[in-house]
Amino acid sequence: MITVSPTHALLILRQSDNIQDSDTRMRIERWAVGELDRNPSIGSAAVREMWEGALDAGVTNATAIWVVGQGHSSVAIGLAIEEILSLRPGMAVDPLRMIISEAMLRIPRPSLEHLTDAALRRNDLPSRVRALWSLLHFGLKGEAARSSLEGHSEADLKDLLEATWAQNPLDALPSESDAERASRAAAMVRALGPTSMPEATDLARRRAMRPKRGSDSVERAIRDLQQNADPLAGKLIAECLRTPTLSYWFPVLLHAKSAQSKLQADKTYTPPSGLIGTNESA
């Protein structure tokens, strides 16, 4: 078996996108990641040095350089992510959001929480960088961290949400229970709902080239509550319905409450015993 230095393995990994055959590309990527992981401390240093070199050279836009070995488990890459986020939490938003997206897939929850808490204790973070760390803090801790979103503009929060977690931030973040997901969804509704309004029609939501809006994140969060069978989801929807600043969302929330109640009832329903398969012949 051929072995190479971590630097050469990293170079091969970065160039693998040029391989057209998907099976061949996957085999080569697995091999290159394996070389990085042969000695994780040395492999992680190679990845971190690549990122630090790019930052020192002024590369702050969203490029493929910030994503390494995507789709492959790697101890070395996980270590490199922890190290770069610890050393340079104030890097530009584009590389930070791409590395954080990878961190959510590769780093254990306690490590993510530690990195986030350390970043938010700093006083020198640019406003949009702090907003991105605040969103991660909120995503990890839900309702308990809703205050993290205060002070940030809806435009910044919406833009960072859509750019970092294009489909659904709640799906990307690690969570242990339906109750935690419900807590985060409700906090999202309370944070962005008062300053946004639901679209008047489905057609308006679907029209071509429509810019993304804060209401998109609110609607998605309400849908998450509606599809969550945990009893806490129903309680949180009810609390939102008692919040005057969310009055524009009451029709959507009422529909969600009804659907969630049915879902919860279906999940907990147990047919009465003795009624199935009985034969009352004389």
Side-chain angles (χ1 to χ4, degrees):
M1 177 67 69
I2 299 174
T3 60
V4 298
S5 71
T7 301
H8 285 100
L10 183 56
L11 179 61
I12 292 168
L13 198 57
R14 288 191 56 211
Q15 296 298 318
S16 64
D17 284 344
N18 296 321
I19 301 172
Q20 297 300 315
D21 182 75
S22 59
D23 290 339
T24 301
R25 182 171 64 252
M26 289 293 289
R27 286 198 301 272
I28 289 176
E29 288 177 348
R30 279 198 300 269
W31 168 80
V33 166
E35 292 301 307
L36 289 176
D37 282 348
R38 187 180 293 275
N39 187 324
S41 62
I42 296 176
S44 66
V47 177
R48 190 191 70 243
E49 288 169 6
M50 175 191 71
W51 284 334
E52 291 192 306
L55 290 171
D56 291 341
V59 181
T60 59
N61 57 332
T63 68
I65 196 173
W66 311 115
V67 180
V68 179
Q70 193 170 42
H72 298 277
S73 176
S74 170
V75 174
I77 294 173
L79 287 173
I81 289 172
E82 287 195 57
E83 291 165 356
I84 195 70
L85 290 177
S86 176
L87 292 169
R88 305 180 82 151
M91 71 180 80
V93 166
D94 279 347
L96 179 61
R97 68 177 177 80
M98 295 183 76
I99 292 175
I100 281 179
S101 293
E102 286 295 298
M104 291 189 293
L105 299 173
R106 296 180 181 273
I107 294 180
R109 185 190 188 96
S111 298
L112 273 174
E113 292 179 352
H114 174 76
L115 288 167
T116 303
D117 291 342
L120 291 175
R121 283 196 297 267
R122 298 175 62 116
N123 298 318
D124 58 346
L125 297 181
S127 60
R128 278 173 57 80
V129 170
R130 178 169 290 278
L132 183 50
W133 280 111
S134 296
L135 280 171
L136 180 57
H137 185 230
F138 160 71
L140 289 166
K141 298 188 176 179
E143 186 70 11
R146 181 159 57 99
S147 61
S148 296
L149 303 185
E150 295 174 359
H152 300 295
S153 71
E154 181 196 0
D156 273 355
L157 293 175
K158 181 268 296 180
D159 179 58
L160 291 168
L161 274 170
E162 299 296 347
T164 310
W165 302 291
Q167 297 303 316
N168 192 336
L170 306 179
D171 290 340
L173 289 161
S175 61
E176 283 80 39
S177 68
D178 287 343
E180 283 189 323
R181 284 189 287 273
S183 173
R184 279 194 292 271
M188 178 72 72
V189 174
R190 290 169 175 160
L192 297 182
T195 55
S196 62
M197 294 177 61
E199 292 278 7
T201 65
D202 288 337
L203 180 61
R205 279 191 290 273
R206 292 196 299 266
R207 74 174 173 266
M209 303 304 290
R210 167 188 171 278
K212 293 182 174 64
R213 299 174 181 172
S215 59
D216 297 339
S217 295
V218 179
E219 288 181 340
R220 196 159 51 215
I222 293 175
R223 191 161 59 248
D224 286 329
L225 287 167
Q226 175 180 323
Q227 296 170 353
N228 191 327
D230 192 280
L232 179 62
K235 293 178 182 177
L236 291 171
I237 294 173
E239 289 178 9
C240 288
L241 282 165
R242 293 194 296 268
T243 304
T245 55
L246 295 174
S247 59
Y248 287 119
W249 292 97
F250 283 178
V252 183
L253 287 164
L254 284 168
H255 172 76
K257 186 175 186 298
S258 175
Q260 196 279 335
S261 296
K262 183 178 185 303
L263 181 66
Q264 184 179 331
D266 289 345
K267 183 179 179 180
T268 57
Y269 174 73
T270 302
S273 60
L275 296 184
I276 299 176
T278 59
N279 184 354
E280 298 184 358
S281 60

